Every structure is written in C-alpha cells, then in structure tokens.
Amino acid sequence: MPHSPGDLGDPRNLAEKYASYFPIGAAVDSQSYMTHAALLKTHFNSVTAENEMKFESLQRTEGSFSYDAADRIVNFAVASGMKIRGHALVWHSQNPAWLFSNGSGGTVSKQTLLARMNSHISNVMRHFRGKVYAWDVVNEAMMEDGTYRTGNLAEGQKSRWHEIIGESYIAEAFKAAHAADPDAKLFYNDFYNYIPAKQQGIYNMLKGLLAQGVPVHGVGLQAHFNVEPSTVTTNQAYYQHVANLEEAIKLYSSLGLEVQVTELDISLYIPGMTYNQSTFYTAATFTDDLKAKQAARYREFFELFREYRTVITGVTFWGIADDNTWLSEFSSGRKDFPLLFDVNHDPKPAYDAVVGF
Ligand code: XIL
C-alpha cells in the first residue's frame, strides 16, 4: 500500500486519523522541527520541546532567562496550528548547578529554593502563556516502589528538590503554576506507570494533593516501552503489559484527572537482557520480523489508548523518526529504532499498525 508521509492531505495521516480520539504529538528539538518539518506538519498536531524548556535550558544563570531556542519551536508550532505541551518545570534532572547552591560552597536554604522555584515557574509560564496549553509541572517524583524520590539516592537519580524542601515541593510547584497561568492544564508526569506499586504511589500522592485543593489537572504517562516485557521478575519491565497500564489509567482517571501519553516510544531492546557491540541493532539487523513485532506492540497499546479516549486527551511520541531519538544517544554507539517513521522518514509497519484499524 504505497503512501508517502510527505503528501499533505494524505487521508491516512496520523493526526487526521486520530482527530476524533486525541491530538497526536511529537517531541522536537532545535533542529528537528526544521529537518523533519514535512513529517511533523503532515502527521502531528501537537509538539513538546525535547530539552529546550527544561530548567537548565531556560535559566542557565540565575535571573537570566534564555527563551530563544524554545521560542523558535513555539513560533513554528503556532504558525503550523499545532498545540504545544510544556516540559518540564520541576525535575531532579537537567538543572543548572547554581539552583541548589548557596553560592559559597554549601546547599541553598529551603526558603531560597522555594523562592527560586516560584520565580522560575512564574517567569516561564507567563512567557509562554496563551501558547503552551499544558505543562508537566512536576516530573518523576516517585520511585518504582511507590515511595517519593528523595535525596538519598545516587547522583543523577536523587531529587534535591525533595532533599531540601521535602515533599511539599510538589504541592508548592502546582500552586505556583496555577497562579502563573490559571488557564494552563497542569500535569504530573512520570514513567513506569505499569508497575502496580508505582501507580498506587502516584495515585495516593495525587489523591492527597487533590484533597488539599492543589490544582492538578492531569497525569502524563511517559510510555517509554520495549518491544516485549521482561521475563525477569525483578526487572521493572516485568510489569510492562497493556493490562497493567490500563490499571494506571483507570486509577488516575477515577480521581477525575485527565491522562496524556507524553513520551511514547518502543525500544527494540528488552530490559534485563545484555547487549554488546555485536548485538546492538542496526538498520540491517532490524529485520522484518522485528518490525512486525514492534508494529504489533504499538497496535496493542493504541487499542488501549482508543478504548480510553474519553480520559486520554493527548498522545505524544518522544521524537519523530528513527534518525533522531534519545534512545540512540548512548556513548556506546548503541542505536535504537523506536518510532513510527524510519531513518529515511518513511512510514514503518508500526505506522501502518497504528493507522490501519
Ligand atoms: C531526554 C531527552 O530526550 C534527551 O535528549 C536528553 O539528553 C535527556 O532527556 N523522561 C523525560 C524526558 O521526562 O525529559 C527525557 O528526555 C526522557 C525521559
């Protein structure tokens, strides 16, 4: 079935196909919104900046905001009639060093960090007000076992927000966000929502926030999946089954929250298995069988998303085509092929699986 993704008005384009379900988004970076513009404009009606709206990108130096890269993406999206999701205001990762420092070699005080958080949220959200309709206000605050991400974890994993402020940083972030832009939809965003203990932890946290009157409107499911679940019982991906994700959607939506799939991709690698240079996938070893398997996996998740279309208000892929994915950012040279379009920007079997039912 020949069809070109570049054909504007292709009746089989993704966003048109899903128009009655939910907007279809893609994460874009400072280059890809141009280099992948044809695919982007044809198949997607929503964008997220992959890195350009993170704390370290917007406020590298205290009090000095650099909006240029993000603005270019926003201007492109506005001109193309696309929705824009903001990502992410408060996260343990990709922060500038000054944020948690007191400037003389020690740690910033709780009071000052809260002030910095409020100032960042307020400046950023006011800047993008009227353009960015939804924000990931807090990203990845929970652990796999349903406890909070604290300061007692390895570098790169720990949350200095939690360490310095305590768990109230979450409620304070949402309150500041609502004050900065009362029209924006405010999301809590996280990964591994299919793990029962984690979804319960997130549910309990959100329930508590809502009971206190904290303005939270939705939950983002990152949805970085793999071509099959792990068979290793101690591996997080042991729980990576559609039925487990469905439980998360049911739980969160039972609180009256909307749900968005915010960072969808399906890696060819199976967690718990070991790979090396000789088993890393290449375009040549990404066989038709594996393409079909990835397509079937995409299909089963889209069946679920469609079933829950009344609560799912957006599905965003974490990238556009396989030539530009964060899963190929490894220094080892490991490449991955997790999206609907291949390295040549042609639709894959996964694309056909998603639009063909
Ligand atoms: C990733 C980007 O895709 C990479 O380019 C960057 O090097 C690291 O961050 N969860 C998130 C996203 O919420 O912000 C992450 O994005 C992927 C995991």
Side-chain angles (χ1 to χ4, degrees), residues 304-315:
L304 174 71
F305 302 158
R306 278 160 64 156
E307 198 179 324
Y308 284 86
R309 63 181 169 275
T310 55
V311 295
I312 295 183
T313 56
V315 172

Side-chain angles (χ1 to χ4, degrees), residues 93-320:
S93 191
Q94 293 184 267
N95 292 308
W98 65 263
L99 179 56
F100 303 116
S101 162
N102 67 359
S104 45
T107 299
V108 69
S109 70
K110 172 174 176 171
Q111 194 189 4
T112 301
L113 184 57
L114 273 168
R116 286 176 179 174
M117 185 181 84
N118 274 288
S119 149
H120 184 78
I121 290 174
S122 144
N123 271 282
V124 170
M125 288 188 67
R126 285 171 204 271
H127 178 83
F128 294 111
R129 199 168 161 169
K131 292 175 181 156
V132 170
Y133 83 102
W135 276 97
D136 291 329
V137 177
V138 175
N139 196 28
E140 304 181 349
M142 279 280 155
M143 300 303 290
E144 290 175 38
D145 63 359
T147 60
Y148 284 100
R149 180 185 296 278
T150 65
N152 300 322
L153 291 159
E155 204 51 55
Q157 285 301 313
K158 67 177 177 188
S159 171
R160 303 220 66 200
W161 295 107
H162 190 284
E163 179 183 59
I164 298 164
I165 300 175
E167 69 185 56
S168 66
Y169 84 90
I170 299 169
E172 293 307 319
F174 279 98
K175 288 187 216 162
H178 190 59
D181 183 355
D183 297 323
K185 287 194 169 171
L186 307 181
F187 281 77
Y188 173 73
N189 192 52
D190 213 330
F191 56 92
Y192 297 172
N193 288 277
Y194 43 79
I195 300 177
K198 183 160 183 174
Q199 62 187 230
Q200 199 59 52
I202 292 175
Y203 169 82
N204 291 339
M205 172 186 75
L206 294 169
K207 194 173 175 183
L209 291 171
L210 292 169
Q212 293 168 53
V214 176
V216 185
H217 308 123
V219 191
L221 315 178
Q222 288 190 10
H224 296 294
F225 298 141
N226 306 87
V227 79
E228 60 180 69
S230 177
T231 53
V232 180
T233 54
T234 51
N235 190 288
Q236 56 81 16
Y238 179 75
Y239 300 100
Q240 204 188 91
H241 293 274
V242 171
N244 285 335
L245 194 71
E246 178 170 7
E247 284 309 311
I249 297 172
K250 279 190 191 162
L251 268 177
Y252 305 156
S253 61
S254 75
L255 293 169
L257 295 168
E258 47 184 274
V259 175
Q260 295 195 352
V261 176
T262 53
E263 305 183 17
L264 178 60
D265 50 21
I266 300 187
S267 169
L268 302 186
Y269 297 90
I270 303 163
M273 283 181 54
T274 310
Y275 299 88
N276 55 45
Q277 295 290 339
S278 68
T279 50
F280 287 165
Y281 290 105
T282 63
T285 58
F286 184 21
T287 59
D288 287 351
D289 275 0
L290 194 50
K291 286 177 189 165
K293 195 167 159 184
Q294 185 186 47
R297 186 84 165 139
Y298 262 113
R299 171 76 164 252
E300 63 174 3
F301 279 111
F302 267 85
E303 281 169 358
L304 174 71
F305 302 158
R306 278 160 64 156
E307 198 179 324
Y308 284 86
R309 63 181 169 275
T310 55
V311 295
I312 295 183
T313 56
V315 172
T316 290
F317 291 83
W318 206 240
I320 303 165

Side-chain angles (χ1 to χ4, degrees), residues 50 223-226 263-269 294 298 318 322 324-339:
E50 187 174 351
H224 296 294
F225 298 141
N226 306 87
E263 305 183 17
L264 178 60
D265 50 21
I266 300 187
S267 169
L268 302 186
Y269 297 90
Q294 185 186 47
Y298 262 113
W318 206 240
D322 286 348
N324 184 31
T325 160
W326 75 302
L327 296 174
S328 294
E329 279 177 12
F330 289 94
S331 55
S332 62
R334 182 173 124 162
K335 297 288 174 242
D336 210 338
F337 303 86
L339 298 163

